[in-house]
Amino acid sequence: MVDSSIQASDPLPERTLRALRYASTATITTQLLSRGLRNQLVQGLRALNPERSRMVGVAFTLRYIPAREDLDVLAVFQDYDHPQRKAVESVNPGEVLVIDSRGQQRAASLGHILATRLLHRGCAGVVTDGSVRDSDGFAELAMPTFARNPSANTNLIQHHAVDAQVPIGCGEVAVYPGDVLVGDHDGVVVIPRHLADEVAEAAAAQEHLEEFVLSKVDSGLPLRGTYPPDEATRAEYERWASENPWH
């Protein structure tokens, strides 16, 4: 049941943010699976700056449709209210710009100048199921950016920006404005907004337990009784966790 009291514009609680920064996308996908959600990992993405792959933020969506030669000409970029430019100037601190590029990579979804503007607006990251241009700049940009590939072509060659803050598809995942996105080296996962708090808490707890379990396996213990942990291992974990809380 969706909690209708939670609005897309509501800020995430600080504890939820801390928990999502602590938990891996692998752990989060497991927690989503336990709630019946199997298609929340955006497919085929990579972090463009490996030093800035950790991302947590709320979705601000931008939708592209196929370009058309009579409409998508260079002159449109003289318009400061062009939908792409307007979206960049509308993203709020803590939001992730999520672009529906329909999986098309022949032309870029975004360039380094616009991404730099997003950085200075406090944007938490950029996610596109297409490509970006100026990839050398993205490799050093102090903001997480996830895309499929670089492309020198401007977006006008293949994409026409039509609207923002509407439901979109990105890498075969439905993304609604206000959904929560978490990224790391394994990819980007989308958490429905109404589940964010409970998934964050559960994922942090799982991550903490698995850190303990990993230390036991790394010490040479067999899987039986350790992974998954039996009653004795869980009791040992509880004693350890009381002295080593995840937060």
Side-chain angles (χ1 to χ4, degrees):
M1 180 70 69
V2 175
D3 184 352
S4 59
S5 67
I6 299 175
Q7 302 298 316
S9 58
D10 292 343
L12 286 172
E14 184 58 36
R15 182 176 176 85
T16 297
L17 286 169
R18 289 201 309 271
L20 292 176
R21 291 179 182 130
Y22 172 67
S24 68
T25 56
T27 298
I28 292 168
T29 59
T30 300
Q31 288 299 324
L32 290 167
L33 176 61
S34 73
R35 290 160 176 80
L37 294 165
R38 298 171 176 268
N39 186 44
Q40 301 306 119
L41 183 68
V42 183
Q43 296 299 308
L45 304 189
R46 60 187 180 92
L48 301 184
N49 180 351
E51 301 301 317
R52 294 279 181 167
S53 66
R54 200 71 177 123
M55 179 188 74
V56 178
V58 174
F60 183 103
T61 63
L62 173 62
R63 184 170 69 98
Y64 287 153
I65 63 172
R68 204 173 77 183
E69 288 78 3
D70 60 329
L71 297 175
D72 296 289
V73 296
L74 284 174
V76 302
F77 283 155
Q78 301 303 313
D79 179 6
Y80 290 115
D81 289 325
H82 181 274
Q84 183 201 49
R85 304 307 205 251
K86 190 172 182 179
V88 167
E89 289 291 354
S90 300
V91 173
N92 295 309
E95 292 182 330
V96 174
L97 178 61
V98 190
I99 305 173
D100 176 1
S101 297
R102 311 172 320 284
Q104 301 300 310
Q105 303 166 58
R106 184 163 54 88
S109 319
L110 196 76
H112 185 226
I113 291 176
L114 295 184
T116 300
R117 176 58 184 153
L118 288 166
L119 170 68
H120 286 279
R121 285 190 61 80
C123 181
V126 172
V127 176
T128 174
D129 60 354
S131 57
V132 298
R133 66 197 310 210
D134 315 313
S135 58
D136 285 348
F138 279 99
E140 298 180 355
L141 188 68
M143 179 180 69
T145 306
F146 294 84
R148 286 185 169 173
N149 283 302
S151 173
N153 284 330
T154 182
N155 67 308
L156 296 173
I157 287 177
Q158 193 172 31
H159 305 298
H160 179 91
V162 284
D163 47 21
Q165 288 299 69
V166 295
I168 62 170
C170 187
E172 298 301 315
V173 177
V175 183
Y176 291 79
D179 282 350
V180 179
L181 285 91
V182 181
D184 61 19
H185 283 296
D186 281 351
V188 175
V189 64
V190 180
I191 308 172
R193 183 58 180 268
H194 67 282
L195 293 176
D197 295 345
E198 68 173 86
V199 166
E201 288 288 341
Q206 179 186 336
E207 194 81 28
H208 198 231
L209 172 60
E210 290 186 354
E211 284 181 8
F212 175 80
V213 167
L214 177 60
S215 71
K216 294 300 180 182
V217 173
D218 195 38
S219 72
L221 291 181
L223 294 180
R224 186 174 296 276
T226 308
Y227 186 61
D230 61 13
E231 186 175 331
T233 300
R234 280 194 170 274
E236 186 180 356
Y237 163 72
E238 294 297 338
R239 292 192 295 271
W240 174 83
S242 67
E243 298 177 359
N244 300 277
W246 70 263
H247 51 76

